[in-house]
Amino acid sequence: YRPWYIIGVPILAIAVYALFVGNADGMDARYLFVWYFIFSIGSSIMTLAHGAWAATLATNYHQRSRVFGWMAAVGTIGSVSLLALPKLTQGQIQPGKAEDVVIIGWMILIALPILATLSAILSPEPKVSTIKRDKVVLKDYWDMIKTPTALALVVGDLLLTMGPGLTGPIYVFFFTDVKHFSVGDVTTLLIFYLGAPFVGAPLWARVARMIGKHRTLQLGTVLYVITQSTLMALPAGTFWFHAAGMFAVGLSNACFALMVRAMLADYSDELRLKQGLQRVSLLYSFVGVTLKVGSSFNVVISFAILSMVGYQAAEGAVNTPAAINGLAMTYLFAPIVFVALGGLCFFGYKLDEKRHAEIREELDRRDATAAEAEMLEPQPEG
């Protein structure tokens, strides 16, 4: 995984330079399409290698929850720091200004190679002696996802990605037209939502240790429904009540990606026991696809619903009270429906702590036998 992780760095860096710093002639639609496509390639390579690498470093059922939990927590630092730049720099750097986007681009270009190099140098990459390497064909993908465990993880991840993601495209409209906040307050409220995983991810990892990962995931979906509904009931214009509400929603949402990826690592062990093949990278490519698909359809679905309820999202548009109420109902019910369906996917989930311990015991026994046989093989002379 280390070589792929390193390969992704220059690809991503070149795309960041093109998109954030740009060129003197400006950016047209074709330019943006090409460079955003390259950006997606670089980020996908690094994300896939990063997740699969973490899955091989942590082999214990609860250890994986802890590792992925802290990965998610640390990951919030970047997004929160970006939103906090206006406060931290006393207005000198604001992500919404075109000239400041260039500064943010250079910040990424400086930090990316430094942090990636530290990860590549300091993180070990264990070698499993029983891994068989073979050419991957389309049938291999079907063999991986046709089981109830895999289908629950992939379909559940898609639904749990799309649910909270549906609020993103209409977030500003909801908090300005329904909750009557200024654009500045709306941006500040987002800090509480995006910062919540820093507390929530390690917390959910502890909960998983007590009740198991799939039950923790289902508990997170229930809390999301409750907190999202409570957010709707809060009086308009009450900043700190909404700050607490956004933090609570972000706290429950922090459970989803964390648990799915930790559970996917467990399933990779089950798959290796059955097939004798290490397929963790291919498995993580599935959740990469669900993330891309979910993110792509969020805008289409959200704005299609807004069109149905008569809300106009154009700048300066005047909307009727009925249209604004339709916006509020869209913000409330659309994500709740998807998240609830995502939680239902994990009823009857079989790969719990007890089953995973049995799998790891058999894998460790197999690896030890293979390592011993390798040591006993005669070495070539000279």
Side-chain angles (χ1 to χ4, degrees):
Y1 306 110
R2 184 183 284 107
W4 284 105
Y5 185 74
I6 296 172
I7 287 171
V9 174
I11 299 174
L12 186 59
I14 293 171
V16 167
Y17 180 85
L19 291 170
F20 283 76
V21 181
N23 56 44
D25 299 327
M27 304 181 188
D28 57 17
R30 182 180 299 178
Y31 179 95
L32 290 172
F33 176 84
V34 170
W35 283 109
Y36 190 72
F37 182 77
I38 296 172
F39 176 92
S40 297
I41 292 175
S43 62
S44 296
I45 290 174
M46 292 193 69
T47 302
L48 175 58
H50 191 247
W53 194 352
T56 59
L57 287 174
T59 57
N60 179 269
Y61 182 83
H62 292 301
Q63 186 184 29
R64 280 172 171 160
S65 299
R66 186 167 61 254
V67 168
F68 280 93
W70 280 109
M71 284 168 57
V74 173
T76 64
I77 295 176
S79 54
V80 172
S81 299
L82 179 63
L83 289 174
L85 277 177
K87 300 287 185 182
L88 297 174
T89 63
Q90 297 182 347
Q92 296 298 312
I93 300 177
Q94 299 187 38
K97 290 184 178 180
E99 58 270 24
D100 291 344
V101 171
V102 177
I103 298 174
I104 295 170
W106 280 112
M107 292 169 62
I108 298 172
L109 288 169
I110 293 171
L112 177 63
I114 294 175
L115 297 177
T117 301
L118 288 175
S119 296
I121 293 174
L122 300 178
S123 300
E125 188 173 359
K127 180 181 178 181
V128 182
S129 59
T130 58
I131 294 179
K132 298 177 183 177
R133 302 193 182 277
D134 199 0
K135 183 178 180 181
V136 179
V137 296
L138 288 178
K139 183 177 179 298
D140 294 326
Y141 287 96
W142 173 244
D143 289 339
M144 284 187 293
I145 65 168
K146 67 182 181 181
T147 66
T149 299
L151 288 174
L153 288 168
V154 173
V155 176
D157 186 57
L158 177 61
L159 293 169
L160 294 173
T161 298
M162 293 185 66
L166 288 171
T167 64
I170 61 176
Y171 169 78
V172 174
F173 304 130
F174 172 77
F175 276 96
T176 53
D177 286 354
V178 177
K179 294 298 187 175
H180 307 305
F181 287 109
S182 67
V183 175
D185 286 340
V186 170
T187 303
T188 305
L189 284 173
L190 196 59
I191 295 176
F192 290 91
Y193 176 80
L194 295 177
F198 188 79
V199 177
L203 178 64
W204 285 120
R206 288 195 173 191
V207 175
R209 191 174 186 85
M210 294 184 287
I211 65 175
K213 293 173 189 172
H214 69 285
R215 292 189 182 91
T216 300
L217 185 58
Q218 291 176 319
L219 176 61
T221 62
V222 172
L223 290 179
Y224 182 88
V225 171
I226 294 172
T227 54
Q228 181 76 357
S229 302
T230 303
L231 189 67
M232 186 64 64
L234 295 174
T238 53
F239 178 83
W240 288 110
F241 280 110
H242 283 82
M246 288 294 287
F247 183 83
V249 174
L251 198 70
S252 57
N253 183 31
C255 172
F256 303 155
L258 157 64
M259 286 299 126
V260 168
R261 279 144 187 79
M263 292 159 68
L264 199 67
D266 297 337
Y267 177 62
S268 71
D269 288 337
E270 183 178 56
L271 198 64
R272 185 159 74 91
L273 181 63
K274 292 179 179 179
Q275 299 183 358
L277 297 168
Q278 180 68 286
R279 296 300 199 197
V280 63
S281 298
L282 296 183
L283 286 173
Y284 274 86
S285 69
F286 282 111
V287 294
V289 170
T290 58
L291 177 62
K292 301 293 184 184
V293 171
S295 301
S296 300
F297 279 100
N298 285 339
V299 177
V300 176
I301 295 174
S302 296
F303 280 91
I305 297 175
L306 289 188
S307 178
M308 291 172 60
V309 300
Y311 183 85
Q312 300 179 54
E315 186 176 358
V318 178
N319 288 285
T320 64
I324 293 175
N325 184 61
L327 166 66
M329 293 301 101
T330 303
Y331 192 91
L332 171 63
F333 287 110
I336 284 178
V337 169
F338 279 92
V339 168
L341 290 173
L344 290 174
C345 289
F346 295 94
F347 276 98
Y349 190 80
K350 302 297 184 183
L351 188 51
D352 56 10
E353 180 183 3
K354 180 180 178 181
R355 173 58 185 150
H356 184 259
E358 295 171 350
I359 292 171
R360 283 306 317 178
E361 183 179 356
E362 182 61 30
L363 283 175
D364 292 342
R365 186 184 304 113
R366 181 189 296 177
D367 289 344
T369 302
E372 184 178 349
E374 186 177 342
M375 291 179 61
L376 295 176
E377 287 183 0
Q379 300 297 318
E381 295 182 2

